[in-house]
Amino acid sequence: MKKIFSIVMILVLTLSFVGCATDAVVEEVPAAEEAVVEEAAAEEAPATEDVDNPLAGMAVDENGDPYLLGYILNETSSGWMSAGLGYITSIWERAGGEIVSYVSDYDMALELSMFDDLKQLDPDVILVHPSDSAAIAPAVQTARDEGYPVFAMDMAVTGADVDSYIHIDQVQLGEGCGRFVAENFSADNPAVILEIAGGLQQSGAQQRMEGFHNIIDEVDYAEIIQVVDTGWSSDVAFDGIQDAFERDDTINVLYTHSDFMMQGILEGLRAKGKLIPAGEEGHILLCSIDGDPTGLKGMRDGYIDAIAEHSPVLHVAISVNVMLAELYGKDYVQDYTLPVIMITPDNVESMDRWANLPSGEFDNWPVLDQDVFPIPSR
């Protein structure tokens, strides 16, 4: 079916929890050592309705055969990506479907070959989270030309259309951090900013930079003195901080594109004697993006002041519903944009924060239905 327009949406969520402890906190998942292919097959959907799971039995065709979802993604070493993979695997299987996932660990040649491997399995739908937004485009175009529906989650495909792109507005994530910095400084207290960027070959990092600069470039009492392209590496972030403070010891703001680099950032500040809690003299204002377990812990410890939340739970919930709509022949749109929420010490403990869900217990994470794009039916 043809989808030709895009929208920006405000989500109204209904969360259904199954045995979630209110004080549980997700822990970081260890980094994958090499590219892997993970395959999981679900059992046939139950004959009776699961009242705790409105998706039960939905990822099967009219004959009761499971739909196969193929997911090609760039890494599982970050909390965001590992949570997203675990959650979508659980959701799709709880819906009665089968899922096979391919993890490239940023090996773009491998990522492209994974399309050929996946197509040998004849998936019903393909989901991608690319390492390089432009480099993946030819493989996406070929797959769509061959009749495979292809969806992108979080990171865009540049140079080829997808059936639908489910994402947060990455520019607005950066703008949220930019506004927070602008509001906390003044002409009498100017902001001297170090930006720890992600991998600037990806659309998401480019847009997080763009949004932050949109705000800061208009503020005459704020200056970005250096941008470090880390390639999403915590180790590079650590080294970048050492170098930056050697160049300019007056830095009083640190903006980072992701909590994924936070361990290196905090250790880098500690090594320079700059890791000082909020409210104490010498504290460096730190604004980040994602809201993963490392980020929330850093906020609880007093080192992180604000985080623009980037929730894999919302991304997966919308992606699953939209892919089911495709399989059912229902209408949907080409662009779904999720709202930006700022995490501060005032709301960090809320169970609305995805990183406060129980660690690794994806079958106990909520199944989300929302007014914007409800769970489709045939």
Side-chain angles (χ1 to χ4, degrees), residues 225-287:
I225 62 165
Q226 186 177 345
V227 176
V228 179
D229 183 349
T230 68
W232 306 108
S233 167
S234 185
D235 291 340
V236 176
F238 176 92
D239 292 339
I241 287 174
Q242 306 310 297
D243 177 70
F245 277 95
E246 288 297 322
R247 293 168 180 263
D248 191 334
D249 195 56
T250 68
I251 295 168
N252 57 8
V253 176
L254 201 156
Y255 163 58
T256 179
H257 290 186
S258 176
D259 292 335
F260 187 33
M261 290 91 77
M262 191 58 67
Q263 184 174 352
I265 289 167
L266 295 178
E267 289 304 315
L269 290 172
R270 190 189 308 277
K272 300 302 292 184
K274 299 288 186 178
L275 188 61
I276 301 168
E280 297 185 15
E281 185 176 354
H283 171 68
I284 293 174
L285 185 142
L286 178 48
C287 191

Side-chain angles (χ1 to χ4, degrees), residues 179-327:
R179 279 190 290 271
F180 185 85
V181 171
E183 291 165 1
N184 281 275
F185 289 84
S186 65
D188 295 330
N189 179 30
V192 182
I193 304 166
L194 171 63
E195 181 172 356
I196 303 295
L200 290 175
Q201 80 280 8
Q202 278 188 322
S203 64
Q206 296 163 10
Q207 291 163 4
R208 293 178 191 195
M209 173 185 283
E210 176 187 348
F212 188 72
H213 289 222
N214 284 348
I215 302 299
I216 297 301
D217 289 351
E218 299 300 316
V219 177
D220 56 11
Y221 53 81
E223 179 185 6
I224 301 167
I225 62 165
Q226 186 177 345
V227 176
V228 179
D229 183 349
T230 68
W232 306 108
S233 167
S234 185
D235 291 340
V236 176
F238 176 92
D239 292 339
I241 287 174
Q242 306 310 297
D243 177 70
F245 277 95
E246 288 297 322
R247 293 168 180 263
D248 191 334
D249 195 56
T250 68
I251 295 168
N252 57 8
V253 176
L254 201 156
Y255 163 58
T256 179
H257 290 186
S258 176
D259 292 335
F260 187 33
M261 290 91 77
M262 191 58 67
Q263 184 174 352
I265 289 167
L266 295 178
E267 289 304 315
L269 290 172
R270 190 189 308 277
K272 300 302 292 184
K274 299 288 186 178
L275 188 61
I276 301 168
E280 297 185 15
E281 185 176 354
H283 171 68
I284 293 174
L285 185 142
L286 178 48
C287 191
S288 183
I289 291 173
D290 282 342
D292 76 6
T294 304
L296 296 198
K297 183 179 185 303
M299 181 171 287
R300 292 186 181 103
D301 290 342
Y303 302 126
I304 302 175
D305 299 271
I307 304 171
E309 188 172 40
H310 179 223
S311 172
V313 173
L314 298 185
H315 282 75
V316 167
I318 299 293
S319 297
V320 167
N321 289 359
V322 173
M323 289 186 291
L324 287 176
E326 164 66 31
L327 295 172

Side-chain angles (χ1 to χ4, degrees), residues 78-153:
S78 68
W80 200 97
M81 292 297 294
S82 60
L85 175 58
Y87 185 52
I88 199 168
T89 299
S90 171
I91 288 292
W92 198 257
E93 290 179 345
R94 282 192 272 167
E98 297 179 355
I99 180 170
V100 56
S101 58
Y102 295 79
V103 184
S104 69
D105 283 338
Y106 288 100
D107 183 333
M108 199 61 221
L110 178 62
E111 196 165 307
L112 293 173
S113 72
M114 287 173 172
F115 268 88
D116 294 328
D117 295 338
L118 175 58
K119 287 186 290 187
Q120 294 300 311
L121 302 177
D122 195 23
D124 294 288
V125 64
I126 296 173
L127 180 67
V128 298
H129 188 288
S131 297
D132 186 310
S133 298
I136 202 171
V140 168
Q141 186 63 58
T142 298
R144 294 191 76 232
D145 289 345
E146 293 171 351
Y148 293 100
V150 181
F151 297 79
M153 184 172 73

Side-chain angles (χ1 to χ4, degrees), residues 1-11 144 150-157 160-172 203 207 315 318-319 322-323 331-339 372-373:
M1 303 185 68
K2 190 174 183 181
K3 311 92 190 168
I4 58 175
F5 60 97
S6 66
I7 60 175
V8 176
M9 306 180 299
I10 303 299
L11 294 180
R144 294 191 76 232
V150 181
F151 297 79
M153 184 172 73
D154 183 37
M155 293 295 171
V157 174
D161 289 334
V162 292
D163 287 85
S164 189
Y165 175 32
I166 300 93
H167 64 109
I168 203 162
D169 189 319
Q170 306 275 354
V171 173
Q172 289 184 13
S203 64
Q207 291 163 4
H315 282 75
I318 299 293
S319 297
V322 173
M323 289 186 291
D331 290 331
Y332 55 91
V333 299
Q334 201 169 32
D335 186 285
Y336 286 90
T337 307
L338 309 182
V372 174
F373 194 83

